[in-house]
């Protein structure tokens, strides 16, 4: 039999077909999302829901038409963002993505933002782009559609469309990503929403278990899981000893824990009833290297060179050089941090003898690694759970040998690249097999047989 995994990312939509006998990938396709909508607000980042749904469902139908023996369909996608749905389960708003900046706008109350008010009034940490932050702003500004009865993530909405559900059902991994969620009791903090007249629309129903959401063309569709959790499932087979680092548009470290943890810059994201992913994210991540490429390209074009990507040239600067050599100290917080979104990056350590492009390029890669290592040390300080295996995923690492070397050196662990590229889609397929009760997550993650499974048995 085979299982399909679908990952609705911010820039791409990925679909894989996995053989469930040996977990090899038999087919994969990646589509350009291309769904961002124009906006007069520079901080607004919204996407076309119908376009995403149409493109994804068309690709899925084509795969099903030519591929027999599909036993399950798993879903994942960009976390945090929300789409409002009406009583029939149809989208009545754009997708407000995780990159949306309305939560940081100082026009929510008395010159303060939603995020600032939540922190000051309730001691709640929630970043702009989190669904509940977006919802509170929309309520205050009268932007919630009158027909809206609830809301959910984009991959949850895909699940509704495939199975004909009229109301969303969110796995705890997706529910927690919206913010205002207590991961220990698995409940939303409804009292805060009530104080701001943000109910109704009703909160989505939540399940701690990997359950069947319904069926599409007679095939079981599993409840959607958060893309961080899905990527972990699609990358790690020895969870007890492994630290996962991912560098793509953003960057992130993730490790499994059997208990909730509070540490600076770290979120405890539920994976099952009894297990959490301790996740730390750098908002810029791979975008730091992309921004540096744009800098070089802009100069080259102004000097009369063709306006073409400069990544290969940047890599040649690093070839045959000592990556531990004297380079610039680059703090790559070019997009701020979760705790301090107004933060900026910095560059120091420049001297005449190291005033070379390679010093800036190496310094930027060092800064990207240092951001992640600092988050890892915050986890170790709170949990004393050091890891011995560094598992790496994401094109930002795959395509950059110098960055791989820098990560190995900084974390003092050998780095292992995940063999397949669509980790989140693979993890979604694995989660759907767990929902179908044909796979044990404990066995998949290499955990002890006596450890809690975290789902219905």
């Amino acid at each position: 039999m085979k299982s399909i995994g679908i990952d609705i990312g911010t820039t791409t939509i990925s679909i894989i077909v996995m053989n469930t006998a040996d977990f090899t990938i038999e087919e994969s396709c990646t589509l350009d999302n291309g769904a961002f909508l124009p906006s007069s607000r520079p901080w607004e980042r919204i996407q076309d829901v119908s376009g995403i749904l149409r493109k994804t469902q068309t690709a899925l139908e084509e795969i099903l038409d030519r591929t027999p023996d599909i036993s399950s369909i798993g879903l994942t996608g960009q976390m945090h963002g929300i789409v409002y749905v009406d009583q029939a389960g149809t989208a009545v708003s754009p997708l407000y993505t995780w990159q949306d900046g309305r939560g940081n706008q100082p026009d929510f109350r008395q010159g303060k933002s939603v995020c600032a008010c939540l922190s000051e009034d309730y001691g709640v940490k929630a970043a702009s782009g989190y669904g509940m932050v977006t919802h509170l702003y929309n309520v205050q500004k009268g932007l919630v559609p009158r027909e809206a009865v609830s809301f959910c993530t984009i991959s949850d909405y895909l699940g509704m469309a495939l199975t004909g559900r009229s109301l969303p059902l969110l796995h705890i991994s997706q529910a927690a990503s919206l913010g205002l969620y207590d991961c220990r009791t698995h409940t939303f903090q409804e009292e805060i929403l009530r104080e701001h007249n943000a109910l109704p629309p009703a909160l989505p129903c939540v399940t701690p278990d990997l359950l069947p959401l319904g069926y599409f063309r007679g095939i079981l569709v599993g409840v959607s899981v958060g893309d961080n959790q899905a990527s972990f499932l699609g990358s790690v087979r020895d969870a007890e000893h492994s630290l996962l680092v991912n560098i793509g548009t953003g960057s992130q470290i993730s490790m499994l824990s059997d208990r909730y943890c509070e540490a600076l810059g770290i979120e405890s994201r539920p994976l099952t009833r009894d297990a959490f992913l301790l996740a730390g994210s750098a908002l810029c991540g791979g975008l730091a290297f992309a921004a540096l490429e744009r800098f070089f390209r802009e100069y080259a074009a102004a000097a009369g060179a063709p306006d073409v990507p400069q990544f290969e040239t940047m890599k040649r600067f690093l070839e045959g050089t000592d990556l531990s050599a004297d380079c610039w100290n680059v703090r790559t917080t070019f997009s701020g941090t979760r705790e301090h979104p107004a933060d900026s990056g910095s560059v120091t350590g420049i001297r005449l003898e190291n005033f070379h492009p390679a010093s800036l390029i190496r310094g930027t890669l060092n800064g990207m690694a240092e951001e992640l290592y600092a988050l890892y040390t915050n986890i170790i300080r709170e949990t004393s759970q050091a890891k011995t295996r560094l598992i790496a995923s994401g094109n930002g690492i795959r395509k950059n040998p110098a960055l791989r070397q820098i990560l190995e050196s900084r974390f003092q662990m050998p780095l292992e690249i995940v063999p397949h590229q669509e980790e989140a889609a693979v993890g979604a397929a694995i989660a759907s097999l767990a929902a179908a009760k044909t796979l044990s997550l404990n066995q998949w993650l290499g955990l002890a047989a006596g450890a809690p499974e975290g789902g219905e048995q």
Side-chain angles (χ1 to χ4, degrees), residues 245 376 389 444:
V245 55
Y376 177 56
R389 296 180 66 181
W444 176 257

Side-chain angles (χ1 to χ4, degrees), residues 346-427:
S346 63
V347 180
T348 61
I350 306 172
R351 292 180 295 278
L352 284 176
E353 58 268 26
N354 72 354
F355 208 104
H356 304 288
S359 298
L360 172 57
I361 299 169
R362 284 198 304 266
T364 300
L365 295 177
N366 283 342
M368 292 163 58
E370 188 60 37
E371 271 199 272
L372 296 176
Y373 185 75
L375 293 167
Y376 177 56
T377 57
N378 289 345
I379 296 177
I380 302 304
R381 193 177 298 116
E382 293 295 326
T383 67
S384 301
Q385 295 179 19
K387 302 299 182 180
T388 57
R389 296 180 66 181
L390 185 64
I391 312 298
S393 65
N395 287 334
I397 296 177
R398 281 194 178 88
K399 297 180 178 180
N400 198 323
L403 180 55
R404 295 199 294 270
Q405 184 179 338
I406 287 170
L407 287 167
E408 279 193 334
S409 174
R410 191 65 188 95
F411 282 86
Q412 290 294 292
M413 286 185 255
L415 186 142
E416 307 168 45
I417 302 290
V418 178
H420 44 263
Q421 294 193 29
E422 303 303 340
E423 303 90 355
V426 172

Side-chain angles (χ1 to χ4, degrees), residues 122-381:
Y122 308 101
V124 169
K125 292 190 298 182
S128 185
Y130 281 28
M132 293 301 183
V133 172
T134 296
H135 180 53
L136 285 172
Y137 185 92
N138 286 347
V139 168
Q140 203 266 354
K141 298 297 180 181
L143 299 175
V144 178
R146 286 178 295 179
E147 312 96 312
V149 300
S150 191
F151 47 86
C152 60
T153 74
I154 185 61
S155 54
D156 288 306
Y157 180 66
L158 173 61
M160 294 174 65
L162 292 178
T163 60
R165 293 184 63 97
S166 59
L167 291 174
L169 174 65
L170 274 59
H171 183 253
I172 50 177
S173 59
Q174 292 284 27
S177 79
L178 302 184
L180 297 188
Y181 185 85
D182 190 328
C183 293
R184 286 160 288 196
T185 62
H186 294 310
T187 56
F188 287 111
Q189 295 173 286
E190 295 186 34
E191 65 282 359
I192 296 176
L193 295 169
R194 288 198 180 93
E195 287 182 23
H196 291 271
N197 297 314
L199 293 176
L203 293 170
C205 295
V206 178
T207 174
D209 302 312
L210 294 173
L211 298 175
L213 191 65
Y215 293 84
F216 178 69
R217 290 177 48 165
I219 301 169
L220 181 145
V221 179
V223 66
S224 167
V225 294
D227 61 358
N228 182 200
Q229 290 86 339
S231 293
F232 192 86
L233 290 175
S235 304
V236 175
R237 298 298 302 273
D238 178 20
E240 184 178 354
H241 304 102
S242 298
L243 173 71
L244 176 65
V245 55
N246 177 279
I247 297 181
T249 304
S251 65
Q252 190 170 68
I253 59 166
S254 306
M255 57 182 268
L256 192 68
S257 176
D258 61 359
R259 62 182 182 272
Y260 183 89
C261 169
E262 292 186 357
L264 182 64
I266 303 302
E267 291 183 80
S268 289
R269 295 176 172 176
L271 176 64
T272 68
R273 287 176 181 264
D274 309 292
F276 296 90
L277 285 189
L278 307 185
S281 301
L283 296 184
C284 205
L287 282 177
F289 199 65
L292 183 59
E293 185 273 335
R294 289 196 301 273
F295 174 83
F296 285 128
R297 187 196 296 201
E298 183 178 338
Y299 177 82
D307 186 2
V308 296
Q310 299 295 306
F311 289 113
E312 292 304 317
T313 303
M314 293 163 66
K315 290 177 184 177
R316 285 199 295 273
F317 271 114
L318 301 176
E319 291 173 357
T321 62
D322 181 3
L323 291 174
S324 63
D326 190 22
C327 61
W328 300 3
N329 300 314
V330 182
R331 185 170 183 259
T332 53
T333 51
F334 304 148
S335 299
T337 66
R338 292 285 193 202
E339 289 73 26
H340 304 289
D343 270 7
S344 59
S346 63
V347 180
T348 61
I350 306 172
R351 292 180 295 278
L352 284 176
E353 58 268 26
N354 72 354
F355 208 104
H356 304 288
S359 298
L360 172 57
I361 299 169
R362 284 198 304 266
T364 300
L365 295 177
N366 283 342
M368 292 163 58
E370 188 60 37
E371 271 199 272
L372 296 176
Y373 185 75
L375 293 167
Y376 177 56
T377 57
N378 289 345
I379 296 177
I380 302 304
R381 193 177 298 116

